[in-house]
Amino acid sequence: MSSLWWVPSLVVFGTTALIIVGVVLAVKARRRRAIASGRIADTRPEPIEHLEVRAGQALVQADEAVRRGVEEHAFAAAQFGVDETAAFAAAIESARGRLSEAFELRQRLSDVTPDTDADRRAWSESILQACTNIESTLDEHTDAFVGRRSEERLAPERVASLRALRTQVEARIPDAVATLARLSKLYAPAAFADQRDAVTTATAQLAEADTALSRAESAVAATEPAVPALEKAEGACRDATTALDALARAEERLADADTELREAIVEAERALAEASELRDSSEIPDAAERIASGITELRRVLDTVSASTGPQTPLRSVDDIRFAQARLDDALASARSAQQRIDSARETLSGALFSATSHLDTAREFIAANRGRVGPDARTRLAEAERQLALAKAAGDPVEAVDIARRAARLAQDAGDLAHYDAGPRTAPIKRHS
């Protein structure tokens, strides 16, 4: 019996342990119920993954707030004058700067460089704070002018103003139809895929504007609220204008791409001649082999472009040539002198800037036309591409500037690809080099 002296103690300690566990579980359960009911606050830190998702959503909302602010300012300035809307314009510029900084933080979160949990949390919280400030500031300015415009006593004047605007937009339709016909003859459908429905979109929006304006006129005659119908008509006219503007800019970009393609071919032929000389004079077999491979690839691309008949996609041809030429430049780097690299970069820079700008404009317009469907990743790439393009233009070293401009072009293409993916399969982007 003496050997079992410890049994009572075990019972006592075991019972005590069970009581303690029960108390702890009961306290935790009461705390969960209190948090759920709102009686006390949950002080646990939000998971980083949730915080990053909220930051991404906030970026989309802030980006849209800036876009809406720009549009609202344009209407307000037309109605109330530049002086009356100067503070609004300044707020938009400030918001753009803060939004750019927020997108840069998002880019850090999205790149391949590992980040600490502390950085991820701090950057996400900074994004959320910046976006909240952007939205609240712009909403304040927007609400002030919406309030001024929404006074029912101004409804008859707004009806007349919107009728005139709707007539102006409709007068652009024949030119837009002619533009589409020209583009269809000169270019492959993929070259202006994002604008192929511009006339259909504009026509449908004008029909919506007609319906809304008719409702507004009836409301004015019956002394009923007309502002909701006027706002709908205003938005429809704005969307129709946006579609037609995008089509006009697409024609300009394609004409510029035609010119750039001719220049790219001349530049590539010059690069081939230089590369052949450096290949023949190189004393390093591996370097000569890499140069020869680059020459073969660039010549193949040039021959393919030259052999193409019928409607073209000039920007894609420019991209193909520039991509092959960049590969050749990499192969030539070891065989060129420092001065030769600088001279070559100076010749290449304008083309690299053109490609980056063209892809930026294309992605920017697509995102603007598909606002509700494009998420934070595409917008982040776009903002980073804009930042890189600004750096390329400011760079003093042409070799560095070319590298940055090419990076900007790739980021802009990524932005376009991601935006098309978000918008759905109907708007799939042009296949391109990775």
Side-chain angles (χ1 to χ4, degrees):
M1 291 292 294
S2 60
S3 63
L4 298 178
W5 60 268
W6 47 269
V7 171
S9 299
L10 177 61
V11 172
V12 171
F13 286 124
T15 303
T16 302
L18 288 173
I19 293 172
I20 291 173
V21 169
V23 170
V24 170
L25 291 175
V27 169
K28 286 184 175 181
R30 283 198 300 272
R31 178 177 175 80
R32 284 196 299 271
R33 289 194 296 270
I35 289 173
S37 65
R39 294 197 302 274
I40 64 172
D42 188 357
T43 58
R44 292 173 300 177
E46 180 180 5
I48 294 176
E49 293 76 11
H50 294 179
L51 191 62
E52 289 180 351
V53 170
R54 286 205 301 121
Q57 294 169 342
L59 267 175
V60 173
Q61 294 168 359
D63 194 28
E64 288 306 313
V66 171
R67 294 177 192 276
R68 287 194 305 272
V70 171
E71 292 175 351
E72 184 60 41
H73 174 264
F75 275 87
Q79 187 169 3
F80 301 108
V82 175
D83 292 340
E84 288 283 327
T85 58
F88 195 0
I92 289 171
E93 285 306 306
S94 175
R96 278 173 165 161
R98 284 178 290 168
L99 184 62
S100 177
E101 292 171 0
F103 271 123
E104 188 172 348
L105 290 177
R106 176 74 180 190
Q107 178 63 27
R108 292 186 195 175
L109 289 169
S110 303
D111 62 25
V112 296
T113 304
D115 304 311
T116 65
D117 286 350
D119 282 342
R120 291 171 62 193
R121 184 174 295 279
W123 294 342
S124 295
E125 289 174 348
S126 295
I127 290 171
L128 283 167
Q129 183 62 47
C131 292
T132 299
N133 291 339
I134 288 169
E135 285 198 77
S136 63
T137 300
L138 293 183
D139 284 347
E140 184 178 324
H141 284 276
T142 298
D143 290 345
F145 286 103
V146 168
R148 290 176 65 177
R149 263 208 320 273
S150 63
E151 295 180 14
E152 289 294 341
R153 63 186 177 83
L154 297 176
E157 289 82 356
R158 285 186 69 189
V159 168
S161 175
L162 286 171
R163 280 289 183 197
L165 176 60
R166 183 236 176 268
T167 300
Q168 292 172 6
V169 177
E170 185 180 38
R172 298 178 57 186
I173 296 291
D175 285 343
V177 172
T179 297
L180 278 175
R182 286 194 301 272
L183 295 181
S184 298
K185 288 181 180 179
L186 294 172
Y187 305 106
F192 56 99
D194 293 344
Q195 289 77 39
R196 69 184 186 274
D197 295 331
V199 171
T200 302
T201 298
T203 302
Q205 290 299 320
L206 290 179
E208 285 196 18
D210 282 338
T211 302
L213 284 171
S214 295
R215 286 204 303 269
E217 288 169 336
S218 298
V220 169
T223 63
E224 296 175 352
V227 169
L230 288 170
E231 290 177 347
K232 187 173 183 60
E234 190 176 84
C237 288
R238 183 188 302 131
D239 290 344
T241 300
T242 298
L244 297 178
D245 286 347
L247 177 60
R249 285 192 294 268
E251 184 175 34
E252 292 173 1
R253 275 199 305 273
L254 287 168
D256 290 342
D258 282 334
T259 301
E260 184 64 23
L261 178 57
R262 290 191 291 271
E263 293 176 0
I265 291 172
V266 172
E267 183 184 316
E269 291 288 0
R270 188 163 53 244
L272 285 172
E274 179 197 359
S276 296
E277 292 179 5
L278 290 173
R279 176 200 58 195
D280 295 341
S281 62
S282 176
E283 297 179 356
I284 306 173
D286 287 347
E289 185 177 343
R290 286 196 300 273
I291 294 171
S293 177
I295 290 173
T296 300
E297 177 60 17
L298 181 54
R299 172 52 61 194
R300 183 192 65 77
V301 171
L302 285 175
D303 290 344
T304 300
V305 170
S306 299
S308 298
T309 59
Q312 305 293 309
T313 52
L315 184 55
R316 181 164 63 182
S317 296
V318 169
D319 287 342
D320 289 343
I321 293 173
R322 299 290 188 206
F323 180 80
Q325 191 170 343
R327 298 281 295 271
L328 179 57
D329 284 343
D330 290 342
L332 290 170
S334 60
R336 281 174 171 160
S337 66
Q339 187 58 48
Q340 284 175 319
R341 287 196 294 272
I342 292 173
D343 292 341
S344 175
R346 285 199 181 106
E347 293 177 357
T348 305
L349 180 57
S350 63
L353 292 174
F354 171 84
S355 293
T357 302
S358 296
H359 287 298
L360 259 172
D361 289 344
T362 300
R364 188 185 296 114
E365 286 181 0
F366 183 83
I367 290 173
N370 295 272
R371 296 177 174 182
R373 298 185 289 172
V374 177
D377 291 339
R379 297 166 192 262
T380 299
R381 298 293 194 284
L382 182 68
E384 181 64 13
E386 291 172 337
R387 190 178 76 87
Q388 292 292 330
L389 181 58
L391 291 174
K393 291 178 178 178
D397 179 2
V399 176
E400 179 186 11
V402 168
D403 288 341
I404 298 173
R406 287 171 175 166
R407 183 159 59 250
R410 288 194 297 271
L411 284 163
Q413 287 177 295
D414 288 345
D417 288 350
L418 288 168
H420 280 86
Y421 179 82
D422 288 345
R426 178 182 173 279
T427 52
I430 298 170
K431 184 179 179 180
R432 62 176 178 85
H433 294 294
S434 59

